[in-house]
Amino acid sequence: ERLVASYTMASYEEFLAENEFLRIHRRHMVNVKFVTSMERDGRVVLRDGTSLEVSRRRSTEVFAQWERLKTAR
């Protein structure tokens, strides 16, 4: 389903970063509460089984943020 928004992804990323959201791709942000695993092949698996690709450019940062958020819980 396509969502039309009046703000840029960067705006949402800035606002939602403090609420445990990760931007994993140019087109995707995920709530870490719904992430079941982060695969080393560059994929994020959500509770419902959805698998999303992590961009190569963001992968190191995303995995580091995931580890920080996981240990902070």
Side-chain angles (χ1 to χ4, degrees):
E1 180 177 333
R2 188 175 179 143
L3 175 67
V4 178
S6 57
Y7 297 101
T8 64
M9 283 289 281
S11 298
Y12 286 113
E13 181 179 15
E14 184 178 318
F15 173 74
L16 295 173
E18 62 194 43
N19 295 309
E20 297 188 344
F21 277 79
L22 292 176
R23 185 167 182 183
I24 62 167
H25 194 276
R26 180 177 166 203
R27 295 180 180 196
H28 305 296
M29 289 184 74
V30 295
N31 183 331
V32 295
K33 293 177 184 175
F34 292 93
V35 174
T36 57
S37 66
M38 307 259 318
E39 307 295 329
R40 284 291 163 189
D41 69 350
R43 305 204 63 81
V44 170
V45 180
L46 304 179
R47 277 189 205 163
D48 67 356
T50 302
S51 177
L52 299 170
E53 183 179 0
V54 176
S55 75
R56 286 179 299 211
R57 188 175 66 93
R58 294 181 184 272
S59 64
T60 302
E61 178 186 345
V62 168
F63 284 106
Q65 287 177 333
W66 166 251
E67 289 301 320
R68 272 196 311 275
L69 290 169
K70 223 171 48 168
T71 57
R73 288 182 183 187

